[in-house]
Amino acid sequence: MFEGVHTAIATPFSSDGSVDYDALKRFVDFQVDGGVSGVVPVGTTGESPTLKMDEHKKVIETVIQQADGRILVTAGTGGNSTFEALELTEFAQKAGADATLQVTPYYNKPTNKGLYEHFSIVADVGLPVMLYHVPGRSACGLDIKLVEKLAEHQNVVAIKEAEGGPSIQRTADILSACDIEVVSGDDPLTLPMMVNGAVGCVSVASNIIPGIVTNLVNFALQGMWTDAIALHRQYNRLFTGMFSETNPIPVKTALGHMGIMEGVFRPPLCSMEDDSGDELVALLKEFELLS
């Protein structure tokens, strides 16, 4: 289901901090034109912690309507409250989402039993579920034995791995343990994870270069490893540059410089430090992303 590139899209804000829904619609079209397989609205890159509930729902609904079946929409509807995740997931299902991305509940650090109950309740809604393993953000991980147990649920169909280096080995270990799709959550690791069996990525970099990331992943899916490696090496510095500060600060700043959306954040996120901001501009110029 999740082969290819699924862009973890940024949420455009106007200068007054309100959600810019017109820019969001244009951005969905930009992603479709770039050839991605899908988009993931209101994840970490979409600044989900700062959106009000009604905004969260409207962003999901707007993306679904604009995508209009042209690409998959995997709605970010996770939370550290099971009831909130359930409400958002039920809304996304009614709105026409194709799947849901479910992060491990952050801050409250549930036990494996609690995690199993949480994800099972959400999966019972009926949408295909992509689990999201990102312990660096959530302070809570998913043991492979727990992934294996959750994969027995007919609606738990994929896992997004975003633990940095360990994700490469975890890809092989998960696929050895159970029948579930693995996707990369770290652009610099997409290719090595695909070597170990991942089927694609939920990408940050594809916000700015959807066609390039799509080509890289498609080369890997087709076994064209020489071409995939060449693209990976060519764009690796840009991939890593999107994480020079906390995501989504660099990529959204880049989108602002490229004129795709305003580089506006909601507190506590803020504009880049001067030095790293200058380095980002230089990087965008190097890759000819500025007109």
Side-chain angles (χ1 to χ4, degrees):
M1 179 176 183
F2 291 105
E3 279 194 357
V5 175
H6 298 261
T7 303
I9 55 174
T11 301
F13 296 137
S14 301
S15 57
D16 64 359
S18 60
V19 178
D20 187 342
Y21 293 101
D22 289 335
L24 179 61
K25 294 174 184 177
R26 293 192 297 270
F27 193 48
V28 171
D29 289 341
F30 174 71
Q31 292 297 317
V32 172
D33 293 343
V36 301
S37 299
V39 290
V40 184
V42 212
T44 305
T45 310
E47 297 177 70
S48 56
T50 68
L51 294 186
K52 300 174 184 178
M53 179 67 79
D54 62 327
E55 292 174 324
H56 196 129
K57 291 178 177 179
K58 189 172 180 180
V59 168
I60 290 172
E61 186 176 49
T62 300
V63 170
I64 292 169
Q65 290 175 352
Q66 192 67 21
D68 195 25
R70 295 177 291 171
I71 53 176
L72 291 179
V73 177
T74 302
T77 60
N80 63 343
S81 162
T82 302
F83 293 116
E84 180 178 309
L86 187 61
E87 178 182 347
L88 286 169
T89 304
E90 288 174 341
F91 173 84
Q93 183 185 47
K94 291 176 182 177
D98 298 293
T100 171
L101 176 68
Q102 289 292 320
V103 68
T104 47
Y106 38 87
Y107 188 76
N108 40 16
K109 298 176 70 173
T111 62
N112 279 351
K113 179 181 178 182
L115 287 170
Y116 179 77
E117 292 177 353
H118 170 84
F119 287 119
S120 296
I121 288 170
V122 174
D124 285 342
V125 171
L127 276 179
V129 173
M130 179 190 290
L131 305 172
Y132 185 8
H133 175 72
V134 58
R137 288 250 188 194
S138 62
C140 184
L142 285 169
D143 294 341
I144 291 176
K145 287 185 178 179
L146 177 58
V147 175
E148 183 179 6
K149 185 177 180 181
L150 286 166
E152 294 173 359
H153 194 296
Q154 63 179 354
N155 294 326
V156 177
V157 299
I159 182 167
K160 175 185 175 184
E161 280 289 319
E163 195 183 359
S167 293
I168 300 172
Q169 184 59 46
R170 273 180 61 92
T171 299
D173 292 341
I174 289 169
L175 293 174
S176 295
C178 57
D179 183 17
I180 193 171
E181 290 185 330
V182 178
V183 297
S184 166
D186 289 302
D187 286 292
L189 297 181
T190 293
L191 184 57
M193 287 177 65
M194 291 188 74
V195 170
N196 268 2
V199 297
C201 60
V202 174
S203 173
V204 173
S206 60
N207 276 274
I208 59 172
I209 49 169
I212 297 297
V213 181
T214 296
N215 286 341
L216 190 159
V217 169
N218 285 345
F219 284 147
L221 288 171
Q222 296 164 19
M224 300 170 64
W225 297 109
T226 300
D227 295 310
I229 291 168
L231 269 186
H232 173 79
R233 289 177 177 173
Q234 182 180 353
Y235 285 90
N236 184 58
R237 289 184 59 251
L238 188 62
F239 295 158
T240 57
M242 293 304 102
F243 298 93
S244 59
E245 288 190 11
T246 301
N247 178 49
I249 294 175
V251 73
K252 199 171 190 183
T253 300
L255 289 165
H257 286 305
M258 294 168 67
I260 295 174
M261 67 176 65
E262 296 290 335
V264 176
F265 305 91
R266 283 185 176 174
L269 296 186
C270 61
S271 60
M272 295 186 75
E273 299 285 349
D274 290 342
D275 288 348
S276 54
D278 292 342
E279 291 173 0
L280 178 65
V281 170
L283 192 62
L284 295 174
K285 289 179 178 178
E286 178 184 337
F287 285 90
E288 300 182 346
L289 293 174
L290 299 182
S291 57

